[in-house]
Amino acid sequence: MIDILKLKALIVERNMTQKEVAKRLGISKKVWYDRMKKRKFDSDEMYELIKILGIENPTPIFFANKVS
């Protein structure tokens, strides 16, 4: 499960919006919000998010043990 709160916080830290991240990821806002609601992205999307957001340690975000 993805730690959505950490992901959202990182987006804000990078001075981006969720809409902007979705666009850079190449998905619609609806798909973005569906993925966020389900707390699941495929591996290609996770890889792109790591690049887009400059995530140094993706483990706490993408492989969270507990749901926030």
Side-chain angles (χ1 to χ4, degrees):
M1 285 280 198
I2 294 175
D3 189 327
I4 297 301
L5 293 179
K6 286 183 183 176
L7 183 57
K8 286 180 179 180
L10 190 58
I11 291 168
V12 170
E13 283 178 25
R14 300 295 191 259
N15 294 316
M16 299 177 80
T17 64
Q18 292 184 57
K19 180 181 175 181
E20 184 179 356
V21 173
K23 184 175 181 178
R24 291 186 61 184
L25 197 56
I27 60 176
S28 69
K29 289 188 307 182
K30 181 185 181 333
V31 171
W32 170 263
Y33 289 112
D34 286 346
R35 299 269 200 285
M36 293 290 278
K37 183 178 179 181
K38 293 178 184 175
R39 299 175 183 267
K40 292 185 180 180
F41 288 89
D42 67 32
S43 59
D44 290 336
E45 291 166 337
M46 285 190 270
Y47 179 74
E48 286 301 314
L49 283 168
I50 290 166
K51 291 190 325 185
I52 291 166
L53 298 172
I55 301 171
E56 292 182 21
N57 183 8
T59 303
I61 295 172
F62 296 111
F63 304 102
N65 288 333
K66 70 177 194 177
V67 177
S68 298

